[in-house]
Amino acid sequence: MKKLYLALGLALLGALVVYSYSTSTNNHLEQARKQALASGKPLAKATFAGGCFWCMEPPFEQLDGVVEVKSGYTGGFKKNPTYEEVSAGHTGHAEAVEILYDPTKISYAELLDVFWRNIDPTVKDRQFCDVGKQYRSAIFYHDQEQKRLAEESKQKLSQRFKNIYTEIVPATTFYPAEEYHQDFYKKNPVRYKSYRYGCGRDARLRELWDQAKP
């Protein structure tokens, strides 16, 4: 019984932490949107696939200069795919995030650094506990400059990891995921934390990035 209460307490604490973090993130993004609209500056897009899109939203949404992060599907052949179709692995699409950002405040190179630090580039067609091409890691570039920077960052990373399976491919149509998937970590913090922990994502990221040779 004590173990049960402890588990429930930890889950509640985790939910409160995520709630507090998500509230702060919401305020940050709303402020960024207002500033972007007021300035009239052109915004840029970045598209990354790093396994479960629930887990790829938080690290980007907290960045200054990021205006919006959407979960969705891209890189495949099926038009207007559903989550069920993508997760079944028959559409060619990967779960991905599309990031709208102000390039005068944050660079694409900085976004790439955040991307790499939140994936496992050493595995093919999977990320953590999720297996299949729909969970592959990929950088979908929107222009030749993004392609150049992505290839340079991958080459630099090859000094750290022997095998890197992350694709660098042209961006294609991005299909936003169903609304219940958007900001899932804010809407369902307990389930999100449980999934992330159970999938071993953070443990593997610590192993990759804290213990790997510089």
Side-chain angles (χ1 to χ4, degrees):
M1 185 62 72
K2 288 182 178 179
K3 290 183 178 180
L4 175 60
Y5 285 139
L6 178 60
L8 290 173
L10 290 174
L12 179 59
L13 178 60
L16 289 172
V17 169
V18 171
Y19 174 77
S20 175
Y21 170 76
S22 65
T23 300
S24 174
T25 303
N26 284 338
N27 293 337
H28 157 72
L29 288 175
E30 183 60 29
Q31 185 66 24
R33 290 190 189 97
K34 289 180 179 178
Q35 290 177 353
L37 290 172
S39 68
K41 296 176 182 177
L43 300 176
K45 283 183 181 178
T47 307
F48 302 121
C52 174
F53 45 31
W54 295 349
C55 300
M56 291 300 289
E57 285 187 342
F60 291 106
E61 287 194 342
Q62 65 181 314
L63 301 175
D64 288 335
V66 168
V67 175
E68 184 179 61
V69 182
K70 285 186 179 180
S71 287
Y73 319 109
T74 194
F77 52 85
K78 177 74 166 61
K79 292 183 178 179
N80 301 310
T82 65
Y83 175 72
E84 288 72 19
E85 291 172 332
V86 174
S87 61
H90 303 312
T91 66
H93 289 295
E95 288 195 13
V97 290
E98 183 181 79
I99 302 159
L100 195 64
Y101 68 99
D102 181 348
T104 67
K105 290 188 175 182
I106 188 168
S107 68
Y108 187 70
E110 290 174 301
L111 294 177
L112 284 169
D113 287 341
V114 174
F115 166 72
W116 289 119
R117 292 275 174 168
N118 281 277
I119 70 162
D120 180 351
T122 69
V123 292
K124 182 178 176 61
D125 292 341
R126 70 173 298 163
Q127 281 293 292
F128 312 101
C129 68
D130 294 315
V131 181
K133 194 169 179 63
Q134 65 272 35
Y135 297 110
R136 66 190 182 273
S137 63
I139 299 169
F140 298 92
Y141 60 85
H142 290 266
D143 55 40
Q144 290 303 304
E145 178 65 7
Q146 286 191 355
K147 179 182 180 182
R148 181 185 69 80
L149 291 170
E151 289 177 342
E152 285 182 358
S153 69
K154 185 175 179 178
Q155 179 60 35
K156 183 178 180 180
L157 205 63
S158 67
Q159 300 173 23
R160 179 182 288 253
F161 301 115
K162 182 178 180 181
N163 296 311
I164 298 176
Y165 294 97
T166 302
E167 301 176 353
I168 299 177
V169 292
T172 56
T173 302
F174 181 89
Y175 299 95
E178 295 80 350
E179 184 57 33
Y180 73 92
H181 284 300
Q182 307 299 334
D183 289 326
F184 188 87
Y185 75 102
K186 301 174 187 176
K187 298 173 181 175
N188 297 277
V190 174
R191 183 179 172 190
Y192 169 75
K193 292 290 287 186
S194 176
Y195 161 77
R196 188 176 180 113
Y197 176 80
C199 204
R201 192 178 189 106
D202 292 318
R204 178 58 176 159
L205 289 176
R206 285 193 296 270
E207 180 183 349
L208 283 167
W209 299 105
D210 293 345
Q211 299 178 17
K213 293 181 180 179

